[in-house]
């Protein structure tokens, strides 16, 4: 038994550390197309103090530390690219405080989105948080580390905009707090302190998020989904502009997919509405359809696909079974809303070339300021050729997105390098300085966001 | 070395490992898979387990004692099958059992699993106790041998040999007697029901056990069976017909619920008691029977029934399924499912944790002791509550 294993066992307990092949194998793979990368140890800490002690030990040993939440990024962002210790943070799953009047809750970062939703449903049904379009096992901390977004993105932006404070274990082991919680024990705001948002979007390269003050928003009594359908992709941006002007939707998503065939080449604009009464909902629906979208209906270029549907949690995992193969990965890009037509055509073209049924999706983030656009490529985990095709399609999409002026969201290492190659030189140099300052031994999730 | 004969090679790669399998129905937490709750490492979730099995089958990793422990740590509670959104969800347990079939074939079993199977093979029960003692549970109860009564009362190995479960076996008999139910027992002619043997992957031994019990049923003219254990109920109902059985089978709570409906059973009075009920997996998720035990408990006069947050399809398994009540691959921790479950039960304020399964009875009663809750909460088989008024 080596000293690192012994040290980890002393910190987290024998039951929650492993250096055995079975655990290392399991954590060597994520759900996407990334090649396996084996950690040397896996540990599941329960507290920020345990995380801190592990990070201090890893610094002494010059050993990589890779934080892992739900492992849903698909892009290999929590694979141990340089070996070391994979920290499974899902035992840090406590809901610490609910402040109803202040509309926030303080949670440990390893708590799942499913647990938060369930907790609010039982304890504060008039409040909600933004669930990402991911399985409910996705964690709050992991989602922030990749700049996630989900429902409520239209009114409130990225999930990383929806926080009031953070607790983070720095790469040197100090436990540090951001926001009003740094002044005491109140978690109500990040501002107006100097901006130290160094931890979101870095995929754990600058520290490990351990606690979060999560903003909550009004959860109206009635939720529904309406659908507007158009055939011409060029109409989508102007329709989204009209919809964001009305400002009534809690989520605005456009989907087009080859399967099932009736959906092929059509664009489904999903409009999530909420109201505390039927009258409120009807008012919103009238504003949207009777006033803002009536033109398209009269012209025959658009139509109401559905109205008043229940909103169900998206079962994203089903995408993995489209080819009876257990796998999919997507390129996510943050792009202007006007990018939609070109992005759609790109998805159709690349998918066809790799013999993968196309699936594209765009979610409005903020009041039309940007859009998360995704190109999904399914593969058969048991068929290496299909995995290679999907991986190649992902890489081609990464390159084309940047050529078209988009930015990549939670890119894999391949995409990260493309981004940094194109990045303003001074910005890239600042990234390097920040990383070096925070993580002098380069132990935090090395291999990701490495400035050459 | 790849295992070419693995039965589910065409679908096992389709698990996405998305984690739905860990949740209860209301998404309250990721710890509703007993093995994952105990270990909290992805290798013990059913997604992790399926990926490991596939890697073993394809030769990507080699067998090890640790791999065998992981594969055998699944208690077959079916929580994963309830929550998995994919079309192959009802094959998840089968995929795990098929891996166990391979391990049995190759003789690569965890030692306690090997002991379990050896004991059943040699003695007809997992405890390694004499087959001739199988009928001793009845003691001085005047339980008749099965002749031509309406029902055959099948106690199963736990009811026959485990000292705590024997009390439940006796209670059921007393309650049936008090209600005037016509029943008899097979005594030493009964043998292990094979439910756990089947789930442990020992196909051949399961077939022998089933054939032996079925032959006894036929020889003695058994047409209707009442079981103490939901495990016996499950295997006789769902597996024995494939081996040629032609019997009706009921769990004893179904009979009791019927007797209450007919006014034939006198309910006990437990003034001020607060009872919570733990759904056994092999009655609930395996056979969709959630109502009968509740109907019986509701008849208890003066008591309040408090449901746990996780009940019915969301019930957390006690951790005793698929032989784990014996092999104990999930024990020895505050995170063992039985200990988590008794804490969940205590959260309701109940002073009686009612069960309807001899495995749950022993698992949860032991957990109550380890949790230091003996003075606050008693674990009782439903039959035991009714036996009070039957005496």
């Amino acid at each position: 038994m080596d000293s690192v294993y012994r040290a980890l066992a002393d910190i987290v307990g024998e039951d929650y550390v492993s250096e055995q092949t079975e655990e290392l194998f399991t954590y060597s793979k994520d759900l996407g197309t990334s090649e396996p990368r084996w950690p040397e140890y896996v540990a599941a800490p329960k507290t920020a103090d345990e995380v801190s002690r592990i990070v201090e030990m890893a610094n002494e040993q010059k050993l990589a530390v890779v934080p892992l939440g739900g492992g849903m990024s698909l892009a290999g962002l929590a694979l141990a690219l340089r070996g070391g210790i994979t920290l499974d943070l899902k035992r840090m799953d406590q809901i610490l405080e609910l402040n109803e009047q202040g509309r926030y809750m303080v949670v440990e970062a390893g708590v799942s989105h499913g647990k938060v939703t369930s907790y609010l449903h039982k304890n504060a049904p008039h409040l909600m948080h933004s669930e990402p379009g991911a399985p409910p096992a996705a964690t709050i901390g992991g989602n922030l580390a990749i700049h996630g977004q989900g429902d409520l993105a239209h009114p409130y932006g990225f999930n990383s905009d929806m926080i009031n404070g953070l607790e983070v274990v720095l790469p040197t082991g100090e436990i540090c707090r951001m926001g009003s919680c740094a002044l005491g024990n109140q978690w109500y705001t990040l501002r107006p302190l100097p901006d130290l948002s160094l931890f979101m979007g870095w995929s754990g390269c600058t520290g490990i998020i351990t606690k979060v003050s999560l903003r909550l928003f009004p959860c109206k009594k009635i939720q529904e989904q309406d659908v507007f359908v158009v055939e011409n992709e060029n109409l989508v941006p102007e329709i989204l502009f009209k919809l964001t002007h009305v400002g009534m939707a809690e989520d605005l998503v456009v989907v087009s997919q080859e399967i099932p065939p009736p959906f092929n080449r059509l664009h489904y604009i999903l409009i999530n509405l909420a109201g505390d009464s039927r009258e409120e909902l009807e008012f919103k629906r009238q504003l949207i359809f009777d006033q803002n979208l009536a033109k398209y209906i009269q012209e025959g270029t658009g139509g109401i696909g559905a109205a008043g549907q229940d909103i169900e949690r998206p079962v994203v995992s089903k995408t993995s079974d489209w080819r009876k193969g257990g796998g999919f990965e997507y390129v996510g890009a943050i792009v202007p809303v006007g990018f939609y037509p070109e992005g759609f055509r790109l998805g159709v073209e690349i998918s066809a070339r790799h013999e993968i049924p196309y699936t594209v999706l765009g979610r409005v983030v903020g009041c039309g300021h940007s859009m998360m656009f995704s190109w999904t490529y399914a593969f058969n985990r048991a068929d290496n050729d299909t995995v290679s095709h999907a991986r190649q399609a992902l890489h081609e999409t990464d390159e084309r997105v940047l050529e078209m002026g988009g930015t990549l969201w939670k890119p894999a290492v391949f995409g990260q390098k493309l981004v940094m190659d194109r990045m303003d030189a001074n910005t890239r140099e600042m990234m390097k300085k920040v990383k070096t300052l925070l993580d002098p031994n380069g132990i935090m999730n090395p291999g990701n966001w490495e400035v050459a | 070395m790849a295992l070419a004969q693995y039965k589910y090679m065409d679908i096992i790669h389709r698990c996405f490992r998305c984690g739905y399998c860990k949740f209860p129905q209301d998404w309250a937490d990721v710890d509703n898979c007993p093995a994952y709750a105990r270990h909290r490492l992805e290798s013990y979730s059913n997604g992790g387990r399926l990926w490991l099995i596939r890697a073993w089958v394809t030769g990507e990793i080699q067998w090890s004692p640790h791999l065998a422990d992981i594969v055998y740590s699944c208690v077959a509670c079916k929580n994963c099958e309830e929550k998995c959104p994919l079309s192959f969800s009802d094959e998840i347990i089968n995929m795990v059992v098929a891996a166990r079939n391979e391990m049995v074939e190759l003789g690569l079993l965890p030692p306690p699993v090997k002991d379990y199977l050896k004991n059943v093979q040699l003695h007809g029960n997992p405890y390694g106790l004499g087959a001739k003692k199988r009928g001793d549970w009845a003691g001085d109860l005047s339980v008749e041998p099965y002749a031509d009564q309406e029902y055959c009362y099948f106690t199963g190995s736990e009811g026959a040999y485990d000292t705590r479960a024997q009390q439940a076996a006796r209670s059921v008999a007393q309650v049936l007697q008090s209600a005037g139910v016509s029943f008899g027992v097979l005594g030493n002619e009964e043998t292990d029901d094979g439910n756990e043997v089947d789930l442990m992957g020992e196909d051949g031994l399961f077939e022998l056990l089933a054939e032996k019990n079925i032959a006894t049923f036929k020889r003695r003219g058994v047409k209707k069976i009442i079981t103490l254990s939901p495990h016996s109920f499950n295997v006789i109902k769902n597996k024995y017909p494939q081996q040629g059985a032609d019997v009706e089978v009921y769990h004893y709570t179904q009979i009791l619920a019927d007797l209450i409906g007919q006014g034939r059973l006198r309910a006990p009075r437990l003034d001020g008691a607060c009872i919570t009920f733990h759904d056994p997996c092999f009655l609930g998720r395996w056979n969709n029977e959630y109502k009968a035990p509740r109907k019986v408990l509701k008849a208890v006069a003066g008591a309040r029934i408090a449901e746990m947050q996780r009940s019915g399809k969301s019930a957390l398994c006690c951790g005793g399924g698929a032989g784990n009540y014996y092999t104990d691959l999930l024990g020895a921790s505050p995170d063992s499912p039985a200990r988590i479950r008794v804490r969940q039960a205590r959260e309701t304020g109940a002073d009686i944790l009612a069960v309807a399964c001899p495995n749950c009875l022993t698992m949860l009663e032991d957990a109550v002791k380890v949790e230091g809750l003996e003075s606050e909460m008693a674990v009782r088989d439903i039959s035991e509550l009714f036996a009070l008024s039957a005496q």
Side-chain angles (χ1 to χ4, degrees):
Chain A
M1 193 178 298
D2 69 35
S3 60
V4 173
Y5 178 86
R6 191 66 263 157
L8 289 169
D10 286 346
I11 295 169
V12 302
E14 294 271 359
D15 283 348
Y16 304 110
V17 60
S18 179
E19 57 177 347
Q20 300 199 68
T21 303
E22 289 71 21
E23 277 72 40
L24 303 185
F25 168 84
T26 305
Y27 287 90
S28 74
K29 299 186 177 206
D30 83 351
L31 320 180
T33 61
S34 299
E35 298 284 358
R37 305 301 291 263
W38 289 58
E40 294 156 79
Y41 309 91
V42 175
K46 181 70 181 158
T47 65
D49 183 59
E50 289 179 7
V51 174
S52 166
R53 289 164 64 197
I54 291 169
V55 171
E56 284 176 0
M57 183 270 290
N59 266 292
E60 287 166 14
Q61 304 278 344
K62 305 286 187 289
L63 205 56
V65 176
V66 180
L68 169 76
M72 302 292 164
S73 81
L74 307 179
L77 300 178
L79 292 181
L81 303 180
R82 304 274 163 80
I85 307 163
T86 293
L87 284 190
D88 185 331
L89 300 170
K90 290 191 287 295
R91 285 182 71 223
M92 298 176 64
D93 59 359
Q94 299 303 299
I95 291 170
L96 303 169
E97 181 190 349
L98 169 65
N99 187 322
E100 287 189 62
Q101 199 171 52
R103 289 202 177 107
Y104 69 86
M105 64 197 295
V106 183
V107 301
E108 291 185 321
V111 71
S112 71
H113 276 270
K115 180 171 179 171
V116 169
T117 300
S118 177
Y119 180 87
L120 291 173
H121 183 71
K122 285 176 197 155
N123 297 287
H126 47 288
L127 294 174
M128 65 187 289
H129 82 298
S130 171
E131 271 192 28
T139 64
I140 297 291
N143 190 247
L144 291 176
I146 60 168
H147 276 313
Q149 29 65 43
D151 48 22
L152 302 177
H154 172 213
Y156 303 115
F158 287 92
N159 288 0
S160 42
D161 297 320
M162 300 183 193
I163 61 166
N164 285 335
L166 283 180
E167 179 189 86
V168 180
V169 174
L170 299 180
T172 39
E174 298 93 333
I175 300 175
C176 185
R177 286 183 172 185
M178 311 288 152
S180 57
C181 60
L183 308 179
N185 206 27
Q186 301 287 311
W187 293 75
Y188 54 89
T189 184
L190 266 173
R191 320 281 187 234
L193 302 177
D195 191 347
L196 289 171
S197 300
L198 301 166
F199 307 99
M200 289 172 285
W202 280 82
S203 302
C205 293
T206 51
I208 301 171
I209 300 169
T210 50
K211 287 192 186 75
V212 177
S213 174
L214 196 61
R215 288 184 193 165
L216 305 174
F217 303 96
C219 181
K220 301 269 189 173
K221 287 178 186 164
I222 312 166
Q223 319 262 340
E224 71 168 39
Q225 186 170 77
D226 300 333
V227 182
F228 197 69
V229 188
V230 295
E231 193 172 9
N232 180 356
E233 66 268 22
N234 294 317
L235 293 177
V236 170
E238 67 181 55
I239 291 173
L240 291 178
F241 186 78
K242 287 175 184 286
L243 288 169
T244 49
H245 178 81
V246 179
M248 295 294 182
E250 295 198 332
D251 201 12
L252 275 177
V253 173
V254 192
V255 187
S256 184
Q257 57 192 42
E258 192 166 339
I259 295 174
F263 285 66
N264 193 8
R265 308 284 169 148
L266 294 176
H267 306 276
Y268 287 76
I269 301 169
L270 314 179
I271 307 159
N272 285 8
L273 298 179
D276 280 326
S277 64
R278 289 284 164 203
E279 291 76 15
E280 184 182 345
L281 270 174
E282 183 58 28
F283 170 70
K284 290 178 175 178
R285 212 183 293 134
Q286 278 180 10
L287 265 183
I288 288 171
F289 292 114
D290 296 352
Q291 294 188 31
N292 282 275
L293 302 184
K295 166 181 174 262
Y296 304 98
I297 298 170
Q298 285 157 9
E299 287 173 358
T301 52
I304 299 172
Q309 296 188 124
D310 288 339
I311 301 175
E312 293 180 3
R313 183 193 293 269
V315 186
V316 181
S317 317
K318 285 190 172 175
T319 307
S320 71
D321 213 32
W322 282 354
R323 307 188 86 184
K324 308 292 181 213
F328 76 95
E329 188 175 335
Y330 62 92
V331 166
I334 306 302
V335 295
V337 172
F339 180 95
Y340 183 89
E342 202 174 353
F344 163 71
R345 292 190 286 267
L346 174 69
V348 171
E349 182 246 309
I350 291 182
S351 299
R353 207 150 24 79
H354 291 279
E355 299 175 348
I356 302 169
Y358 84 84
T359 302
V360 298
L361 178 150
R363 162 177 277 134
V364 173
V365 182
C367 194
H369 302 121
S370 64
M371 167 181 255
M372 189 287 292
F373 196 102
S374 68
W375 298 259
T376 297
Y377 302 112
F379 57 86
N380 182 341
R381 202 174 294 286
D383 180 346
N384 285 334
D385 283 347
T386 70
V387 179
S388 295
H389 266 295
R391 191 182 296 124
Q392 187 57 37
L394 291 161
H395 289 179
E396 287 175 20
T397 307
D398 279 345
E399 288 175 335
R400 295 282 295 278
V401 166
L402 290 170
E403 284 167 14
M404 291 155 70
T407 55
L408 296 177
W409 171 51
K410 67 178 176 73
V413 172
F414 179 87
Q416 291 168 20
K417 287 180 178 158
L418 294 180
V419 169
M420 285 187 290
D421 283 349
R422 287 162 174 77
M423 191 180 279
D424 170 79
N426 289 337
T427 307
R428 193 170 57 232
E429 195 56 28
M430 183 185 166
M431 269 184 78
K432 190 173 180 179
K433 286 177 183 169
V434 168
K435 173 70 177 168
T436 306
L437 179 69
L438 284 175
D439 185 14
N441 291 315
I443 64 164
M444 286 307 308
N445 205 359
N448 279 290
W449 290 116
E450 284 194 336
V451 183
Chain B
M1 180 184 71
L3 300 173
Q5 69 273 38
Y6 179 74
K7 193 174 167 185
Y8 292 97
M9 206 55 209
D10 59 332
I11 58 169
I12 194 166
H13 63 279
R14 286 166 60 187
C15 167
F16 185 53
R17 228 176 79 184
C18 52
Y20 278 82
C21 54
K22 302 171 192 167
F23 283 96
Q25 298 292 306
D26 67 354
W27 312 101
D29 214 336
V30 293
D31 59 356
N32 223 45
C33 164
Y36 181 74
R38 164 67 179 83
H39 292 280
R40 295 304 290 261
L41 294 173
E42 284 300 315
S43 38
Y44 285 87
S45 71
N46 242 336
R49 190 176 290 107
L50 295 183
W51 281 35
L52 279 168
I53 289 170
R54 177 168 178 259
W56 176 51
V57 169
T58 59
E60 201 175 342
I61 62 168
Q62 300 302 304
W63 180 90
S64 71
H66 186 51
L67 174 65
D69 281 351
I70 291 170
V71 171
Y72 275 93
S73 69
C74 167
V75 295
C77 73
K78 268 192 190 273
N79 184 75
C80 51
E81 295 193 0
E82 283 292 342
K83 292 305 292 183
C84 174
L86 299 174
S87 60
F88 57 83
S89 60
D90 56 358
E91 298 285 9
I92 294 174
I93 305 292
N94 289 340
M95 286 191 260
V96 174
V97 171
R100 294 172 177 181
N101 293 149
E102 300 292 340
M103 289 191 184
V104 168
E105 281 291 313
L106 298 166
L108 300 172
L109 300 174
V113 174
K114 200 178 288 182
D115 289 346
Y116 187 109
L117 295 173
K118 192 167 93 180
N119 285 335
V120 173
Q121 184 144 32
L122 293 176
H123 306 287
N125 67 81
Y127 305 98
L129 297 170
K132 289 180 180 173
K133 294 179 179 295
R134 180 171 277 274
D136 291 358
W137 64 270
D140 56 1
L141 285 182
S142 54
V143 178
E144 295 174 357
Y146 183 81
D148 57 355
Q149 296 95 331
E150 184 178 5
Y151 295 101
C152 171
Y153 173 36
F154 191 98
T155 57
S157 290
E158 298 79 44
Y161 292 102
D162 180 274
T163 50
R164 182 66 184 91
Q166 281 177 338
Q167 295 170 356
R170 290 167 61 85
S171 298
V172 170
Q174 287 173 305
V175 173
L176 294 176
Q177 285 174 332
S178 75
V181 176
S182 165
F183 74 96
V185 295
L186 297 174
N188 296 346
E189 285 193 56
E190 189 185 297
T191 194
D192 189 88
D193 57 52
N195 190 64
E196 316 316 295
V197 169
D198 182 43
L199 292 169
M200 285 172 154
E202 224 310 10
D203 285 350
L205 180 56
F206 166 72
E207 284 172 21
L208 283 176
L209 296 167
E211 283 169 13
K212 189 173 175 196
N213 278 323
I214 292 165
T216 305
F217 298 159
K218 287 183 175 169
R219 188 172 64 253
R220 303 281 287 271
V222 173
K223 296 290 182 201
K224 293 181 178 178
I225 292 172
I226 299 171
T227 72
L228 166 68
S229 172
H231 299 244
S232 307
F233 170 70
N234 176 66
V235 76
I236 295 172
K237 181 181 174 195
N238 299 316
K239 283 279 191 168
Y240 279 25
Q242 296 159 32
Q243 306 291 322
D246 182 20
V247 291
E248 290 176 34
V249 59
Y250 303 92
H251 184 249
Y252 83 84
T253 55
Q254 295 174 319
I255 298 293
L256 265 53
D258 203 31
L259 292 171
I260 288 167
Q262 294 173 34
R264 290 171 58 191
L265 185 64
R266 194 171 58 170
R269 180 155 207 99
L270 293 171
D271 284 324
C274 180
I275 305 172
T276 193
F277 175 62
H278 166 74
D279 288 275
C281 304
F282 285 90
L283 203 55
R285 281 185 290 256
W286 278 78
N287 287 291
N288 205 33
E289 177 59 272
Y290 301 103
K291 289 181 182 167
R294 286 176 171 78
K295 183 175 178 186
V296 177
L297 283 173
K298 279 178 186 162
V300 175
R304 181 170 66 88
I305 310 296
E307 287 283 359
M308 284 185 258
Q309 288 281 341
R310 299 189 199 179
S311 62
K313 286 185 176 177
S314 288
L316 172 66
C317 170
C318 70
N324 266 279
Y325 68 91
Y326 177 93
T327 57
D328 198 26
L329 293 174
L330 301 181
S333 165
D335 293 331
S336 75
R339 291 180 64 178
I340 296 173
R341 191 59 172 159
V342 299
R343 294 197 293 269
Q344 292 174 353
R346 187 59 195 143
E347 280 173 15
T348 65
D351 47 26
I352 297 174
L353 169 52
V355 298
C357 169
N359 292 358
C360 300
L361 179 63
T362 54
M363 293 291 292
L364 296 176
E365 190 161 270
D366 287 350
V368 164
K369 291 174 188 165
V370 181
E371 285 286 309
L373 292 171
E374 278 173 291
S375 61
E376 296 168 47
M377 190 169 67
V379 182
R380 295 284 180 266
D381 192 87
I382 287 177
S383 64
E384 294 178 308
L385 302 178
F386 277 72
L388 292 172
S389 59
Q391 288 167 350

